[in-house]
Amino acid sequence: MPLGAIVARDEVMDWPSGSHASTFGGNPVSCRAALATLDLLEAGYTRNAAERGEQLRAGLRRSRPTTPTSATSGGWA
């Protein structure tokens, strides 16, 4: 779902509230979807992604070739 936001320092954001918005910034369905996504991330999705990433890296390290030519290639370093 599309969602837009603007973040800036106070000295740059000197517009009155509501005078600048994005096309998707106020869509209530998109805002609710974004909040649900944040809830899922906080509930452990980022931890799970990190664990699965390490599992993948470990498997790739175990399966990498051991010949001098392929072991020193940039892709296996």
Side-chain angles (χ1 to χ4, degrees):
M1 306 219 67
L3 186 65
I6 297 172
V7 179
R9 295 184 313 270
D10 285 341
E11 59 266 17
V12 177
M13 289 291 274
D14 58 357
W15 305 315
S17 179
S19 66
H20 189 277
S22 70
T23 304
F24 308 117
N27 182 324
V29 175
S30 292
C31 290
R32 185 61 200 120
L35 290 172
T37 300
L38 291 173
D39 289 343
L40 291 172
L41 291 171
E42 291 171 354
Y45 276 35
T46 53
R47 183 182 65 250
N48 183 60
E51 290 169 1
R52 298 295 69 80
E54 184 50 44
Q55 184 179 20
L56 173 63
R57 282 189 292 276
L60 290 172
R61 284 185 203 108
R62 282 192 306 272
S63 68
R64 75 176 167 196
T66 56
T67 60
T69 303
S70 60
T72 58
S73 69
W76 293 102

